[in-house]
Amino acid sequence: MAQKPSIPKGTRDFSPAEVAKRNYIIQTIKKHFETFGFMPIETPSFENSETLMGKYGDEGDRLIFKILNSGDFISKVDDVTYSSKNSASLTPKISEKALRYDLTVPFARYVVMHQNEIDFPFKRYQIQPVWRADRPQKGRFREFYQCDADVVGANGLLQEVEFVQLYDAVFTDLGLKGTTIKINNRKILSGIAEVIGAKHLLVDFTVALDKLDKIGEEKVKTEMLEKGISEAAITKAQPLFEMTGTAAEQLEKLKSILAESEAGMHGVAELEEIITTVDVLGLQSAKLQLDVTLARGLNYYTGAIFEVAAPEGVQMGSIGGGGRYDDLTGIFGLKDVSGVGISFGLDRIYLVLEELNLFPDSLDIALDVLCLNFGKQEGLASLKLVSALRKAGLRADLYPTDAKMNKQFKYADKRGVPYTILLGEQELTNGNFVVKNMKTGNQQAYSLDDAASFAESIKSAF
Amino acid sequence: MAQKPSIPKGTRDFSPAEVAKRNYIIQTIKKHFETFGFMPIETPSFENSETLMGKYGDEGDRLIFKILNSGDFISKVDDVTYSSKNSASLTPKISEKALRYDLTVPFARYVVMHQNEIDFPFKRYQIQPVWRADRPQKGRFREFYQCDADVVGANGLLQEVEFVQLYDAVFTDLGLKGTTIKINNRKILSGIAEVIGAKHLLVDFTVALDKLDKIGEEKVKTEMLEKGISEAAITKAQPLFEMTGTAAEQLEKLKSILAESEAGMHGVAELEEIITTVDVLGLQSAKLQLDVTLARGLNYYTGAIFEVAAPEGVQMGSIGGGGRYDDLTGIFGLKDVSGVGISFGLDRIYLVLEELNLFPDSLDIALDVLCLNFGKQEGLASLKLVSALRKAGLRADLYPTDAKMNKQFKYADKRGVPYTILLGEQELTNGNFVVKNMKTGNQQAYSLDDAASFAESIKSAF
C-alpha cells in the first residue's frame, strides 16, 4: 500500500544545514534592508487570477501556476465552453486564483489597495517565495525566493545611489568581495537608438546589443542587420562597441555621441550624478561600472538599470538586478507613482558563497551541548541541568534514552556538537558534571550549581 | 482599463507593523525551538497530489487546494472521463500537484525520503504557511502559518516532558503568563471505553466527552445515548464527569476506574511520570493540567495529547496542541517510527498578545533616525552621515527630496521615528548636526566627525 514518496520536479526540500545557510543570507539581506530604512510587507501566496494575468507577457501567463476552483467546479462551466475542450478557454472557468509569479505585481497591487494607509515615500522590502512553471534546470526552480527592496513615490536620484550602497553593504557583509555593480540608463539606450535613426527599432537594437558579452561584436552587428537596422546606423553606433576606460571617460564619449538627443543627454546626466555621488561616498568592496549594453527588462524600466555580477572567476549569471520604472501602479488605476527597486538572487548567491567557501563555520553547529543519558536517576539531574543551560540561551539537548555510550557519542559526532556533558552516577554523587570538548578531547568538571558560569564560558567562546 | 484590485477571500496582506509583530512571535518560538535542540527544515509549498490525498479524511481531501496542470492540460483527458463532466473524476486528470495542507504529512514524507541522511532521534522544526479551502471566518484563514516541532525515533517520555517545558518557555518569553497546558493520553480514553464496555464505540464516546466544556454533562450523556452507548456504560463512566482536584488526586481516581484495563493503566503510568517529572523540574508561568476529556485528533494520536489554553479571561480557542503518534511514516513505507510533536497557533497567539497588549512598544519603531533633507549640498553631507549611521547598525534614512520642513516632519511623525537629524547650511558650516528627540523635543548637537558616538548613545538607549 505504501507509496514511494517524491516531490514535484523543480521543487526542493531543505535540510537543517541548508536552511541555516539560506537563513544566513536572508538575515544578512534583511538586516541591511532595515538599516537602509526599508520595512517588510507580506502578500498572499495566491492572488486573484486577474491581478496576475496579462502582466508578464504571453510567456509569463503560461508560466503562472493556476489553482483549481474548489468543490464541483465543472458544473459551473457552460456547455459551449465545455464542448470546445480547449484548455485556454476552459482555464478561466475552472480557476480563479493563481500563485504569485514575482513580488513586484503583488506589491503594486498592495500599494494601490493600501494607498490611504501608506506614508509616501514608501520603502518596502519583501522576501517570499514565488512560483513559475518553468522547465527546471540547473539553478532554475519552480519554487524560489525573491528578496526585493523598492521605494515608491520618490523621484530624486538619491534612491539609485542608496541601492548601489545597499548592494555593496550586503555583499561586503557576506564576505563576497569584488562584485561588480553594472549600471545603465534606459534613456541612454533610447538616445542611442534615436541618434542612429533606429528609434522604432529600439527593442531589437537593445536586445542585440545586450548580447555583446556573449556573442561578440560581429554577431551582434549581424543580428542588427537582420532586424532591419541599417548599415549606416550600425556604423554610427560603432563607439558603443569600443566603450572602454573609466566611467568618467565613457560618460564623455556618450556626451559626444548623444549630443543631439535630449533623452540621451538626460540619461547621461542622471548616470553622471549617480556615479559621482557614489564616488564621493565610497564603496566598501564592490565596484560600480557603467555598462551601456545593459538592458535587462527594457520594456519595464524607464530610468536606471542595475545588474550585479559575481566576483571575477566565478561562473554565474547575475546575482542581483533592478532599476527604475516610472509607472508601477498604473495597471491598477493609480497613476504617476514612480518606483525603483532591486532584487537579490538568493539561490545564486548561495551557490557563489558555497563555491568560494564563504559560509561561516558556525552555521554547521545546530546544537551547542549534548548531555549524555546514563539512566533514570542521572537522567533527571541531566534534565535539570539541560533546562538551566537552555534558560541561559544555549542550544542544549539530552540524549533521549540511556543507549550505549558508544551510540550516544556517535550521535554527538554526527550532529557536530562541540561539547558533550557526562553526568553519571559518580558525578551525581560528587554534585558535578563533566564537559568534554569534542574537538580536543579535553574534559573539565563543573559544579551542578554552577551551570550558568559554564553557559557563559561557552557563549563567550563562540 | 484599470482593475480595482482585491485579494482572494481568506487571505491577507500584512503591513510592516503586522509583519513586525508576527516576526516577533515567530522569532521567539524559533529561539526556543533551537535552544531545545530542534533543527529547521523546509519543504516545498506544493506536493504531488498522491502525497497529500487520502491523508486527512474526505473533508480534508475536499479542502486541499489543487494546482491545475500547465500547458494544454485538457488534451490529456480521455474522452470517457471528459464526457462524464464529473469534477471528482476529472480532477486527478488535470491536476497532479496540491498545496500543502499541514506540515506533518510533508514532514513524514521528508523523513522517509531522507532517512539515510538523518541521524535519529531527529528533532525538527518547521515554520511555513499551509493552505486550506475552508470557509473563511473570524480567525480562520485560507493561508496561515503553522509552527511545528516534532521528534521522531525516540520512545521515552522525555520528549513529552520537554514539550511541556517548551510551551512554558515560549509563552513565558512572550509575556503570556498563566497559560494552561492540558494533557491527556489516548490510552486512558481507550481504557475507559474498554472498562465501560464501549470499546467499539471509542470514537463516538470520546467525541461526545470532548464537548463537556462546551455543552455540559447532560447534553454529553444524551449524545452518548444517541450514539448507542448504553445507560449502564454511561453510569460506569460517571466518575469522568466529576474529575476535580489536583493531578495526583485525579490520577488516583483513574487508577481505580481503570484497574481492569491494561491499556488504561499504562496510560495512567505514562501521565503520572510526565506530570511528576514536570513537577520536579518546575514551570515558569504555565500550569500543567490533567484533562481526561481532551481528545483532539483521536484517530491520530496514540499516546500523550496536549492542548494549550490562553490565560483565563481571554476568549480564545486553543493556542497550541499536539501529541504522540506511533506510526508517523508508515503511510510512506517506513514502519515503526514513532513521533511526538507540538504546534503553536500563530494567528491566535497574535490575537491574544494584541488583546492583552503584550507586544513590546519597540516593535512599532521601524526606523531609528530620519535625517531631514535641506537640499543638494547639505544632502550630500547628510548622505555621508546616514551612511555612517547605517554602518554603525542604526536604521537610518534621509528624506528623499528637499520638501518643505513641515512635510518632512509630518512624515517623521507618521513613521514614528524617535529621532530626526537636522543638517542645514548653518550646521554644515559648523561641521556638526543637530539631533532632535521627537518625543521630548530636546535638541543636541554632535560633531560630523563623531557620528559613531551618537550611534552608540542611541543604541544603548534601546
Side-chain angles (χ1 to χ4, degrees), chain B residues 19 35 64 74 92 101 171 178 215 217 280 336 349 379 389 399 403 452 455:
Chain B
V19 173
T35 61
I64 289 172
I74 277 295
Y101 179 85
F171 288 124
I215 63 176
E217 184 174 335
V280 171
D336 298 323
I349 294 171
L389 297 178
Y399 194 86

Side-chain angles (χ1 to χ4, degrees), chain A residues 233-293:
Chain A
I234 295 172
T235 306
K236 270 195 191 161
Q238 183 58 33
L240 291 180
F241 296 102
E242 292 152 9
M243 273 291 182
T244 53
T246 65
E249 285 162 5
Q250 290 191 49
L251 284 169
E252 286 317 306
K253 246 185 233 174
L254 284 173
K255 279 181 201 169
S256 74
I257 301 171
L258 295 170
E260 301 302 310
S261 162
E262 196 181 338
M265 289 306 279
H266 202 68
V268 173
E270 285 186 12
L271 262 187
E272 190 163 30
E273 184 171 340
I274 296 166
I275 289 171
T276 312
T277 309
V278 169
D279 210 42
V280 171
L281 295 168
L283 292 177
Q284 298 174 71
S285 75
K287 46 178 192 292
L288 182 62
Q289 189 178 81
L290 174 53
D291 180 354
V292 288
T293 68

Side-chain angles (χ1 to χ4, degrees), chain A residues 322-446:
Chain A
R324 180 176 285 276
Y325 36 92
D326 271 341
D327 187 21
L328 173 66
T329 55
I331 38 170
F332 298 116
L334 183 63
K335 295 282 173 207
D336 298 323
V337 175
S338 169
V340 52
I342 61 172
S343 191
F344 287 82
L346 175 62
D347 289 305
R348 287 186 175 174
I349 294 170
Y350 187 105
L351 292 172
V352 172
L353 294 188
E354 196 81 289
E355 182 173 338
L356 299 177
N357 202 15
L358 289 173
F359 283 113
D361 291 341
S362 63
L363 294 180
D364 293 335
I365 300 174
L367 188 67
D368 301 317
V369 182
L370 179 73
C371 188
L372 304 181
N373 194 325
F374 285 82
K376 207 170 157 96
Q377 263 317 100
E378 298 91 340
L380 191 60
S382 299
L383 202 47
K384 272 189 203 170
L385 175 60
V386 165
S387 298
L389 297 178
R390 287 170 177 167
K391 273 179 203 146
L394 285 194
R395 295 168 299 178
D397 220 343
L398 171 61
Y399 194 85
T401 64
D402 56 348
K404 290 208 177 98
M405 275 303 115
N406 205 9
K407 190 177 172 189
Q408 296 193 41
F409 269 117
K410 213 166 151 186
Y411 177 80
D413 254 352
K414 281 199 175 155
R415 284 200 63 178
V417 186
Y419 300 95
T420 51
I421 285 178
L422 297 103
L423 206 176
E425 203 183 339
Q426 185 67 50
E427 286 79 18
L428 198 55
T429 312
N430 298 342
N432 64 16
F433 61 99
V434 171
V435 177
K436 179 173 178 179
N437 181 321
M438 294 294 284
K439 212 167 174 181
T440 64
N442 287 346
Q443 301 203 357
Q444 194 181 340
Y446 290 83

Side-chain angles (χ1 to χ4, degrees), chain A residues 13 45 72 82 87 109 143, chain B residues 13 45 72 82 87 109 143:
Chain A
D13 281 332
S45 296
D72 186 12
Y82 197 74
S87 295
R109 195 265 310 142
E143 173 175 45
Chain B
D13 281 329
S45 297
D72 187 12
Y82 196 74
S87 294
R109 196 262 311 141
E143 172 176 44

